[in-house]
Short mmCIF file of all heavy atoms in Angstrom, two decimals:
data_model
loop_
_atom_site.label_atom_id
_atom_site.label_comp_id
_atom_site.label_asym_id
_atom_site.label_seq_id
_atom_site.Cartn_x
_atom_site.Cartn_y
_atom_site.Cartn_z
N GLU X 23 87.96 51.80 116.23
CA GLU X 23 87.25 50.55 115.95
C GLU X 23 88.24 49.39 115.71
O GLU X 23 88.01 48.27 116.17
CB GLU X 23 86.34 50.74 114.72
CG GLU X 23 85.16 51.68 114.98
CD GLU X 23 84.34 51.89 113.72
OE1 GLU X 23 84.67 51.26 112.69
OE2 GLU X 23 83.37 52.67 113.77
N GLU X 24 89.30 49.69 114.97
CA GLU X 24 90.30 48.66 114.70
C GLU X 24 90.98 48.20 115.98
O GLU X 24 91.23 47.00 116.20
CB GLU X 24 91.34 49.21 113.72
CG GLU X 24 92.43 48.23 113.33
CD GLU X 24 91.88 47.02 112.59
OE1 GLU X 24 90.83 47.18 111.91
OE2 GLU X 24 92.48 45.94 112.69
N GLU X 25 91.26 49.15 116.89
CA GLU X 25 91.91 48.81 118.15
C GLU X 25 90.99 47.97 119.02
O GLU X 25 91.44 46.99 119.66
CB GLU X 25 92.30 50.09 118.88
CG GLU X 25 93.11 49.85 120.15
CD GLU X 25 93.58 51.13 120.78
OE1 GLU X 25 93.48 52.19 120.13
OE2 GLU X 25 94.05 51.07 121.93
N LEU X 26 89.70 48.28 119.06
CA LEU X 26 88.75 47.50 119.86
C LEU X 26 88.60 46.09 119.29
O LEU X 26 88.54 45.10 120.06
CB LEU X 26 87.39 48.20 119.89
CG LEU X 26 87.33 49.55 120.63
CD1 LEU X 26 85.95 50.17 120.50
CD2 LEU X 26 87.69 49.37 122.10
N ARG X 27 88.51 45.99 117.98
CA ARG X 27 88.38 44.68 117.34
C ARG X 27 89.62 43.83 117.61
O ARG X 27 89.52 42.62 117.90
CB ARG X 27 88.15 44.86 115.84
CG ARG X 27 87.89 43.55 115.10
CD ARG X 27 87.29 43.76 113.72
NE ARG X 27 88.04 44.74 112.95
CZ ARG X 27 87.59 45.97 112.66
NH1 ARG X 27 86.40 46.36 113.11
NH2 ARG X 27 88.33 46.78 111.94
N SER X 28 90.79 44.44 117.56
CA SER X 28 92.03 43.71 117.82
C SER X 28 92.07 43.21 119.27
O SER X 28 92.50 42.07 119.54
CB SER X 28 93.22 44.62 117.55
OG SER X 28 94.44 43.99 117.89
N HIS X 29 91.59 44.02 120.20
CA HIS X 29 91.59 43.61 121.60
C HIS X 29 90.66 42.41 121.81
O HIS X 29 91.00 41.45 122.53
CB HIS X 29 91.14 44.78 122.48
CG HIS X 29 91.23 44.49 123.94
ND1 HIS X 29 92.36 44.74 124.70
CD2 HIS X 29 90.32 43.93 124.80
CE1 HIS X 29 92.15 44.38 125.95
NE2 HIS X 29 90.91 43.87 126.04
N ILE X 30 89.48 42.46 121.17
CA ILE X 30 88.54 41.35 121.31
C ILE X 30 89.13 40.06 120.73
O ILE X 30 89.02 38.97 121.33
CB ILE X 30 87.20 41.70 120.62
CG1 ILE X 30 86.50 42.85 121.36
CG2 ILE X 30 86.30 40.47 120.54
CD1 ILE X 30 85.25 43.37 120.66
N GLU X 31 89.76 40.17 119.59
CA GLU X 31 90.36 38.99 118.95
C GLU X 31 91.48 38.41 119.80
O GLU X 31 91.63 37.18 119.92
CB GLU X 31 90.87 39.35 117.56
CG GLU X 31 89.75 39.66 116.57
CD GLU X 31 90.28 40.14 115.22
OE1 GLU X 31 91.52 40.36 115.14
OE2 GLU X 31 89.47 40.32 114.30
N LEU X 32 92.32 39.25 120.40
CA LEU X 32 93.39 38.75 121.25
C LEU X 32 92.82 38.05 122.48
O LEU X 32 93.32 36.98 122.90
CB LEU X 32 94.30 39.91 121.68
CG LEU X 32 95.20 40.50 120.59
CD1 LEU X 32 95.93 41.74 121.12
CD2 LEU X 32 96.20 39.44 120.13
N ALA X 33 91.78 38.65 123.08
CA ALA X 33 91.17 38.02 124.25
C ALA X 33 90.52 36.70 123.87
O ALA X 33 90.57 35.70 124.62
CB ALA X 33 90.13 38.97 124.87
N ALA X 34 89.89 36.63 122.67
CA ALA X 34 89.27 35.38 122.21
C ALA X 34 90.33 34.31 121.96
O ALA X 34 90.13 33.12 122.26
CB ALA X 34 88.45 35.64 120.94
N THR X 35 91.48 34.67 121.43
CA THR X 35 92.57 33.73 121.18
C THR X 35 93.07 33.14 122.50
O THR X 35 93.33 31.92 122.60
CB THR X 35 93.72 34.44 120.45
OG1 THR X 35 93.24 34.97 119.20
CG2 THR X 35 94.87 33.48 120.18
N ASP X 36 93.21 33.98 123.51
CA ASP X 36 93.62 33.48 124.82
C ASP X 36 92.60 32.50 125.38
O ASP X 36 92.96 31.48 126.00
CB ASP X 36 93.80 34.66 125.79
CG ASP X 36 94.99 35.54 125.41
OD1 ASP X 36 95.87 35.04 124.68
OD2 ASP X 36 95.02 36.72 125.85
N ALA X 37 91.31 32.77 125.15
CA ALA X 37 90.27 31.87 125.65
C ALA X 37 90.31 30.53 124.93
O ALA X 37 90.09 29.47 125.53
CB ALA X 37 88.90 32.53 125.49
N LEU X 38 90.57 30.57 123.62
CA LEU X 38 90.66 29.33 122.86
C LEU X 38 91.81 28.47 123.36
O LEU X 38 91.71 27.23 123.43
CB LEU X 38 90.86 29.65 121.36
CG LEU X 38 89.62 30.18 120.62
CD1 LEU X 38 90.01 30.63 119.21
CD2 LEU X 38 88.54 29.09 120.56
N LYS X 39 92.93 29.10 123.71
CA LYS X 39 94.09 28.35 124.22
C LYS X 39 93.75 27.67 125.54
O LYS X 39 94.38 26.66 125.90
CB LYS X 39 95.27 29.27 124.41
CG LYS X 39 95.86 29.78 123.09
CD LYS X 39 97.03 30.71 123.35
CE LYS X 39 97.63 31.20 122.04
NZ LYS X 39 98.76 32.14 122.27
N GLU X 40 92.78 28.23 126.25
CA GLU X 40 92.38 27.64 127.53
C GLU X 40 91.30 26.57 127.35
O GLU X 40 90.78 26.04 128.33
CB GLU X 40 91.86 28.73 128.46
CG GLU X 40 92.96 29.73 128.85
CD GLU X 40 92.40 30.87 129.69
OE1 GLU X 40 91.17 30.88 129.94
OE2 GLU X 40 93.19 31.76 130.08
N GLY X 41 90.93 26.28 126.07
CA GLY X 41 89.98 25.22 125.80
C GLY X 41 88.56 25.66 125.70
O GLY X 41 87.64 24.82 125.65
N VAL X 42 88.31 26.96 125.61
CA VAL X 42 86.94 27.46 125.47
C VAL X 42 86.50 27.29 124.03
O VAL X 42 87.29 27.44 123.10
CB VAL X 42 86.87 28.95 125.89
CG1 VAL X 42 85.45 29.50 125.71
CG2 VAL X 42 87.34 29.11 127.32
N ALA X 43 85.19 26.98 123.82
CA ALA X 43 84.66 26.81 122.47
C ALA X 43 84.78 28.12 121.70
O ALA X 43 84.78 29.20 122.28
CB ALA X 43 83.19 26.37 122.54
N PRO X 44 84.89 28.04 120.35
CA PRO X 44 85.08 29.27 119.54
C PRO X 44 84.01 30.34 119.79
O PRO X 44 84.34 31.52 119.93
CB PRO X 44 85.02 28.74 118.11
CG PRO X 44 85.51 27.32 118.22
CD PRO X 44 84.98 26.81 119.52
N ASP X 45 82.70 29.92 119.82
CA ASP X 45 81.65 30.92 120.05
C ASP X 45 81.79 31.54 121.42
O ASP X 45 81.63 32.75 121.60
CB ASP X 45 80.27 30.26 119.90
CG ASP X 45 80.00 29.83 118.46
OD1 ASP X 45 80.69 30.38 117.56
OD2 ASP X 45 79.11 29.00 118.24
N GLU X 46 82.07 30.71 122.42
CA GLU X 46 82.23 31.21 123.77
C GLU X 46 83.47 32.08 123.90
O GLU X 46 83.52 33.03 124.68
CB GLU X 46 82.31 30.04 124.75
CG GLU X 46 81.00 29.28 124.92
CD GLU X 46 79.94 30.13 125.59
OE1 GLU X 46 80.30 31.03 126.40
OE2 GLU X 46 78.75 29.93 125.29
N ALA X 47 84.52 31.74 123.11
CA ALA X 47 85.76 32.52 123.17
C ALA X 47 85.53 33.96 122.72
O ALA X 47 86.06 34.92 123.29
CB ALA X 47 86.82 31.86 122.31
N MET X 48 84.72 34.15 121.63
CA MET X 48 84.45 35.50 121.15
C MET X 48 83.64 36.29 122.16
O MET X 48 83.92 37.48 122.42
CB MET X 48 83.70 35.43 119.81
CG MET X 48 83.54 36.78 119.13
SD MET X 48 85.14 37.56 118.72
CE MET X 48 85.74 36.43 117.47
N LEU X 49 82.65 35.63 122.80
CA LEU X 49 81.87 36.30 123.84
C LEU X 49 82.76 36.66 125.03
O LEU X 49 82.61 37.72 125.64
CB LEU X 49 80.72 35.40 124.29
CG LEU X 49 79.60 35.19 123.25
CD1 LEU X 49 78.59 34.17 123.79
CD2 LEU X 49 78.91 36.50 122.94
N ALA X 50 83.70 35.75 125.35
CA ALA X 50 84.61 36.02 126.46
C ALA X 50 85.49 37.23 126.15
O ALA X 50 85.81 38.04 127.03
CB ALA X 50 85.47 34.79 126.73
N GLY X 51 85.90 37.35 124.88
CA GLY X 51 86.70 38.50 124.49
C GLY X 51 85.94 39.80 124.65
O GLY X 51 86.49 40.82 125.11
#
Side-chain angles (χ1 to χ4, degrees):
E23 292 177 2
E24 181 63 29
E25 186 175 349
L26 293 176
R27 184 163 50 251
S28 175
H29 185 89
I30 293 174
E31 291 175 353
L32 288 174
T35 301
D36 292 340
L38 287 172
K39 290 179 179 179
E40 295 175 359
V42 178
D45 293 340
E46 290 294 330
M48 188 61 67
L49 291 175

